[in-house]
Amino acid sequence: QSALTQPRSVSGSPGQSVTISCTGTSRDVGGYNYVSWYQQHPGKAPKLMIYDVIKRPSGVPDRFSGSRSGTTASLTISGLQADDEADYYCCSYTGTYISYVFGSGTQVTVL
Amino acid sequence: QVQLQESGPGLVKPSETLSLTCTVSGGSVSSANYYWSWLRQPPGKGLEWIGYIYFSGSTIYSPSLKSRVTMSVDTSKNHFALKLGSVTAADTALYYCATTRTYCAGGDCYPGGDFDNWGQGALVTVSS
């Protein structure tokens, strides 16, 4: 199955907001409430930031929020901080087969 | 909180079988609360889901890797394992184990849509 489409990079100044999009199809992003987002710092394992489209795990700051419109999910980081600089991946369950598909990843740069 | 640690050979020859183990601490592989997942990330590239196994031994594998993947659970050692056969250079990657939470309703349990605990990863290089 094809990877979900994410922008290669986004950037913002400290304190600003950035939004990362994740575009799929009705067979994945648009069809199930199983969209999640992961933050990955260099040399580290991914960390779950958002699950079930909009839910935040315990310990994740409320500056991180998820949403979805049709077949596009989004991750918004508000009040950008230096430590937010990382790669971010979206993931969706896909019902074409019982499987999970990831986005290609977005590098967030804090200017 | 469940903690995971991958282990296994860092170098595998082409056409041979890659074998990794994920040791679980702070929880039990016999727990019905999780599906035990494997994912991988080629150097400098994105993430790919390989599959998962439930404590019952039930497995679901990625369609693209299904013909080469075998997963198992060892309750006596509290670990679960991945075998990937007929490897090529394209299988060179950082391999992660992770948990997928289970949701139960009406007597049926099914895997959720995310990976909430991750191991630190194990780099496996396929080369002669």
Side-chain angles (χ1 to χ4, degrees):
Chain A
Q1 56 273 26
S2 301
L4 307 176
T5 301
Q6 296 182 234
R8 182 176 293 272
S9 64
V10 299
S11 61
S13 299
Q16 289 186 331
S17 294
V18 295
T19 296
I20 304 167
S21 60
C22 171
T23 301
T25 70
S26 59
R27 296 182 297 276
D28 39 62
V29 173
Y32 302 91
N33 290 330
Y34 278 171
V35 176
S36 53
W37 290 90
Y38 302 86
Q39 176 192 65
Q40 187 177 35
H41 286 110
K44 300 293 186 182
K47 175 186 176 182
L48 178 66
M49 303 301 284
I50 295 289
Y51 68 100
D52 293 355
V53 183
I54 60 171
K55 298 177 182 178
R56 249 187 336 269
S58 173
V60 172
D62 60 6
R63 301 185 295 104
F64 292 84
S65 62
S67 63
R68 179 180 58 189
S69 178
T71 58
T72 297
S74 298
L75 173 71
T76 297
I77 309 172
S78 305
L80 204 59
Q81 298 180 2
D83 190 51
D84 298 334
E85 188 162 288
D87 292 327
Y88 291 81
Y89 294 91
C90 63
C91 176
S92 176
Y93 174 84
T94 172
T96 303
Y97 304 94
I98 299 176
S99 186
Y100 299 80
V101 61
F102 281 86
S104 47
T106 298
Q107 183 176 54
V108 170
T109 300
V110 181
L111 301 171
Chain B
Q1 182 167 336
V2 172
Q3 295 182 314
L4 307 169
Q5 177 68 59
E6 305 88 349
S7 59
L11 182 64
V12 181
K13 290 182 168 55
S15 80
E16 295 189 345
T17 296
L18 176 161
S19 296
L20 291 171
T21 296
C22 181
T23 300
V24 179
S25 57
S28 170
V29 292
S30 300
S31 170
N33 293 333
Y34 291 109
Y35 277 70
W36 306 99
S37 298
W38 287 98
L39 305 97
R40 69 181 183 178
Q41 184 173 34
K45 296 187 178 180
L47 295 160
E48 179 183 21
W49 178 73
I50 299 170
Y52 47 37
I53 185 166
Y54 200 39
F55 78 99
S56 61
S58 165
T59 55
I60 298 180
Y61 303 142
S62 166
S64 63
L65 297 169
K66 186 176 182 178
S67 63
R68 300 193 290 131
V69 172
T70 303
M71 294 182 185
S72 60
V73 168
D74 188 331
T75 56
S76 67
K77 296 180 180 178
N78 208 34
H79 73 206
F80 59 104
L82 168 70
K83 291 186 185 297
L84 179 66
S86 304
V87 297
T88 69
D91 295 311
T92 293
L94 197 55
Y95 284 77
Y96 292 102
C97 55
T99 56
T100 300
R101 286 168 291 188
T102 304
Y103 296 92
C104 298
D108 292 323
C109 294
Y110 50 94
D114 57 83
F115 309 98
D116 58 335
N117 296 301
W118 294 67
Q120 65 184 31
L123 179 62
V124 179
T125 301
V126 178
S127 175
S128 55

